[in-house]
Amino acid sequence: MVFCGVNLNCQDIALPTPEKTGGKPLMQALNERQTTRTFTKDDLSLQQLSDLLWAGWGINRPDQKKRTAPSARDFQEISVYAALPGGLYLYDAPGNILKQVHNRDIRAFCGTQPFVATAPLNLIYVADLGKLGKKEGEEIKDAELFWSYANTGFIAQNVYLYCASANLGCVIRGLVPKDKLAPEMGLKSNQVIILSQTVGVPQR
Ligand SMILES: Cc1cc2nc3c(=O)[nH]c(=O)nc-3n(C[C@H](O)[C@H](O)[C@H](O)COP(=O)(O)O)c2cc1C
């Protein structure tokens, strides 16, 4: 179903309300957390997508606009993009919406390993340094990305634990052709790709 309105274009995906109870007990999810690199071609359901994104980087204290993962000085500069077969989307956590960036399938640009192009979802973690005051065109030193790498690690681990709980598979990846992927995403120079994470149904 497509909803259109003031904050939602017809191309956007309105996510169902995330399921914030249930799942496997934490200790069991930790025991089952693992990296997966072989996936079926099955799509994730919208409910799984919503739950996964909320687990990773959703709002869990709306009154304080705070999230399921910590971030240094609460800058919340990490943007989570979802590369799906139908296009590229930006996760809008407060709105619980996937905002469409474009309708091209760019999964093949998300990584160098063959499974990346065919798995149903690649998350792309982007440090939006504009939120830290970095202007377009300004030089970015590696050391300035230290906190963004740490912040991304927490989000990615949340996704790992959600996947363990929901019998999905995932792999966090540093092997990302950033020079090719950034233009495919239409990123500005002050938006830096940190890591990518492939998610899907594991091939047993
Ligand atoms: C920062 C980071 C980058 C990684 N990059 C890749 C990658 O590019 N490709 C890949 O297949 N696995 C990648 N991995 C996954 C590791 O290979 C994996 O976590 C490790 O082999 C341990 O396996 P486990 O996650 O099942 O415990 C990465 C893991 C981390 C933490």
Side-chain angles (χ1 to χ4, degrees), residues 33-37 112-113 115 160 171-176 195:
R33 188 218 63 84
Q34 62 181 290
T35 288
T36 299
R37 298 186 184 85
T112 52
Q113 296 164 280
F115 60 81
Y160 261 105
V171 49
I172 186 71
R173 290 179 298 96
L175 285 174
V176 181
L195 294 169

Side-chain angles (χ1 to χ4, degrees), residues 27-152:
M27 299 306 262
Q28 186 182 345
L30 282 165
N31 195 42
E32 295 177 17
R33 188 218 63 84
Q34 62 181 290
T35 288
T36 299
R37 298 186 184 85
T38 50
F39 303 95
T40 70
K41 292 203 170 106
D42 294 345
D43 283 330
L44 304 185
S45 70
L46 271 189
Q47 188 67 54
Q48 286 174 320
L49 204 49
S50 175
D51 294 354
L52 177 151
L53 289 164
W54 181 82
W57 194 221
I59 307 279
N60 67 352
R61 289 152 291 166
D63 50 327
Q64 301 171 69
K65 300 185 176 146
K66 293 204 175 190
R67 304 209 185 213
T68 53
S71 73
R73 299 177 69 186
D74 198 25
F75 279 141
Q76 302 191 11
E77 83 283 11
I78 302 300
S79 294
V80 179
Y81 288 79
L84 294 164
L88 178 68
Y89 296 83
L90 173 62
Y91 178 47
D92 169 353
N96 199 35
I97 296 165
L98 280 173
K99 305 283 285 181
Q100 192 181 63
V101 178
H102 61 60
N103 63 3
R104 285 180 290 111
D105 181 359
I106 62 163
R107 288 175 296 164
F109 293 95
C110 293
T112 52
Q113 296 164 280
F115 60 81
V116 174
T118 53
L121 170 66
N122 282 282
L123 299 173
I124 307 154
Y125 300 112
V126 172
D128 198 343
L129 300 181
K131 289 187 183 161
L132 311 184
K134 184 68 77 177
K135 302 263 183 329
E136 277 185 67
E138 278 186 70
E139 187 194 357
I140 297 165
K141 299 201 175 83
D142 283 351
E144 293 177 79
L145 296 171
F146 176 84
W147 298 111
S148 297
Y149 275 94
N151 294 338
T152 296

